[in-house]
């Protein structure tokens, strides 16, 4: 069990991530873009949108710090026992597993993270844009849980615990490690259903932070076609690839088939598609 940090120490811990943590800064930038777009269709005037973006960045920082404080309080509580075996799990999995215990420990996490500063900001925003309430409250929860994860991440580092190694051989995922969850944004993640030597299937699922966490949002199938297989196809199906094609020009191919089962905002679909392309490109290289 770690010792409880005071608010000043928490602020310094979070500030260290802004100063020295490139992975954190990259994700924070992603969150900014994600939320700016989510709220953009409520706030259309350019000048007003600029004001919103500046104020919302400060809101994000306040909520993340509050979440970190709640995570530290949870980790240092006398009745909390987080074994090392829990902290070695892959990051995406931990991020989902901590949600229910935090909600139970705080008798309602969403209410526990409400502060005077964030409450005033939310009330003013809702007063200006009536329809924004659901999204701003959801954003507060998502950002706070991200802060909680930062506290868990620092706890893991303090204990000098390293994430369990990824499965090897044909169990290495094309998209992501198959024993983990791949979060596309704070609201959704992919989890692996099946995997073999040439293909894998992932289901898109709402985060446990959402009320409808049992819903299947979509299905992703990734197929790997080795160069040797393409060469055989070239022999059997000459119409597939021009007969004059030099065999040395044939390259292994990864096919991505993504089908959404429920309505997802077009911008979020684009974000997911871009992430899949980047991850597969990383695998190919």
């Amino acid at each position: 069990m770690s010792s409880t940090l005071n608010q000043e120490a928490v602020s310094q811990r979070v500030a260290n991530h802004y100063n020295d943590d490139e992975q954190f800064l990259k994700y924070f930038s992603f969150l900014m873009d994600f939320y700016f777009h989510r709220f953009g269709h409520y706030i259309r005037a350019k000048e007003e949108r600029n004001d919103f973006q500046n104020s919302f960045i400060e809101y994000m920082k306040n909520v993340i710090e509050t979440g970190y404080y709640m995570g530290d309080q949870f980790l240092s509580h006398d009745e909390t026992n987080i074994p090392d075996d829990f902290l070695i799990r892959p990051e995406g999995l931990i991020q989902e597993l901590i949600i229910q215990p935090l909600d139970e420990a705080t008798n309602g996490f969403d209410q526990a993270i409400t502060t005077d500063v964030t409450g005033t900001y939310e009330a003013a925003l809702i007063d200006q844009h009536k329809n924004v309430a659901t999204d701003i409250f959801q954003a507060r929860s998502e950002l706070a849980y991200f802060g909680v994860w930062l506290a868990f991440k620092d706890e893991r580092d303090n204990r000098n615990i390293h994430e369990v190694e990824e499965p090897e051989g044909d169990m290495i995922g094309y998209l992501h490690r198959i024993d983990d969850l791949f979060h596309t944004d704070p609201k959704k993640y992919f989890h692996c259903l099946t995997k073999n030597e040439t293909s894998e299937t992932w289901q898109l699922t709402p985060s446990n932070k959402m009320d409808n966490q049992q819903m299947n949002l979509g299905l992703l199938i990734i197929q790997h076609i080795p160069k040797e297989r393409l060469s055989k196809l070239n022999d059997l199906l000459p119409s597939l690839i021009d007969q004059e094609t030099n065999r040395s020009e044939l390259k292994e191919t990864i096919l991505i088939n993504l089908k959404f089962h429920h309505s997802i905002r077009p911008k979020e679909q684009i974000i997911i598609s871009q992430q899949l392309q980047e991850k597969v490109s990383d695998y190919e290289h």
Side-chain angles (χ1 to χ4, degrees), residues 46-70:
K46 183 177 180 180
E47 183 176 347
E48 185 179 4
R49 183 175 294 189
N50 289 337
D51 291 340
F52 164 77
Q53 291 180 352
N54 292 330
S55 62
F56 190 77
I57 290 174
E58 293 304 312
Y59 174 80
M60 289 176 62
K61 291 179 177 180
N62 284 328
V63 177
I64 289 172
E65 185 171 315
T66 298
Y68 191 106
Y69 179 81
M70 298 297 293

Side-chain angles (χ1 to χ4, degrees), residues 5-61:
L5 300 175
N6 58 33
Q7 189 62 54
E8 183 179 355
V10 166
S11 298
Q12 184 57 55
R13 284 277 188 90
V14 176
N16 290 339
H17 286 283
Y18 287 103
N19 294 331
D20 303 318
D21 189 341
E22 291 185 6
Q23 182 180 3
F24 167 83
L25 290 173
K26 182 178 180 180
Y27 189 66
F28 186 83
S29 178
F30 168 80
L31 289 177
M32 286 169 51
D33 291 339
F34 178 78
Y35 290 118
F36 288 169
H37 183 269
R38 186 194 288 192
F39 293 102
H41 65 280
Y42 298 116
I43 307 168
R44 299 188 179 278
K46 183 177 180 180
E47 183 176 347
E48 185 179 4
R49 183 175 294 189
N50 289 337
D51 291 340
F52 164 77
Q53 291 180 352
N54 292 330
S55 62
F56 190 77
I57 290 174
E58 293 304 312
Y59 174 80
M60 289 176 62
K61 291 179 177 180

Side-chain angles (χ1 to χ4, degrees), residues 3 36 59 84 96 116-117 132 146 149 152 156 159 163 173 205 209 213 219 236 245 256-258 271-272 277-278 285:
S3 58
F36 288 169
Y59 174 80
D84 292 354
E96 290 297 311
D116 291 341
V117 173
V132 82
F146 176 54
W149 157 242
F152 271 73
R156 184 168 67 177
R159 296 191 199 179
E163 187 177 70
T205 304
K209 298 184 287 290
Q213 63 262 35
L219 194 68
L236 297 173
T245 298
I256 301 174
N257 186 335
L258 174 61
I271 292 173
I272 293 173
Q277 291 175 348
E278 291 175 1
H285 293 92

Side-chain angles (χ1 to χ4, degrees), residues 95-106 145 208:
Q95 289 177 36
E96 290 297 311
L97 291 176
I98 61 179
I99 293 174
Q100 183 176 349
L102 259 295
D103 192 54
E104 294 175 352
T106 56
Y145 274 118
N208 289 334

Side-chain angles (χ1 to χ4, degrees), residues 127-187:
D127 186 56
Q128 295 174 350
H129 308 279
K130 304 297 183 183
N131 297 329
V132 82
T134 299
D135 277 338
I136 191 63
F137 293 148
Q138 185 64 46
R140 180 183 64 195
S141 176
E142 293 162 357
L143 290 165
Y145 274 118
F146 176 54
V148 171
W149 157 242
L150 284 180
F152 271 73
K153 184 174 182 293
D154 284 349
E155 176 70 12
R156 184 168 67 177
D157 292 342
N158 291 337
R159 296 191 199 179
N160 197 27
I161 296 174
H162 301 286
E163 187 177 70
V164 63
E165 293 185 2
E166 181 177 2
E168 298 180 349
D170 58 12
M171 288 295 102
I172 296 178
Y174 303 122
L175 172 67
H176 191 60
R177 56 185 300 168
I178 64 173
D179 59 340
D180 195 11
L181 307 176
F182 175 64
H183 287 82
T184 61
D185 58 52
K187 300 169 63 177

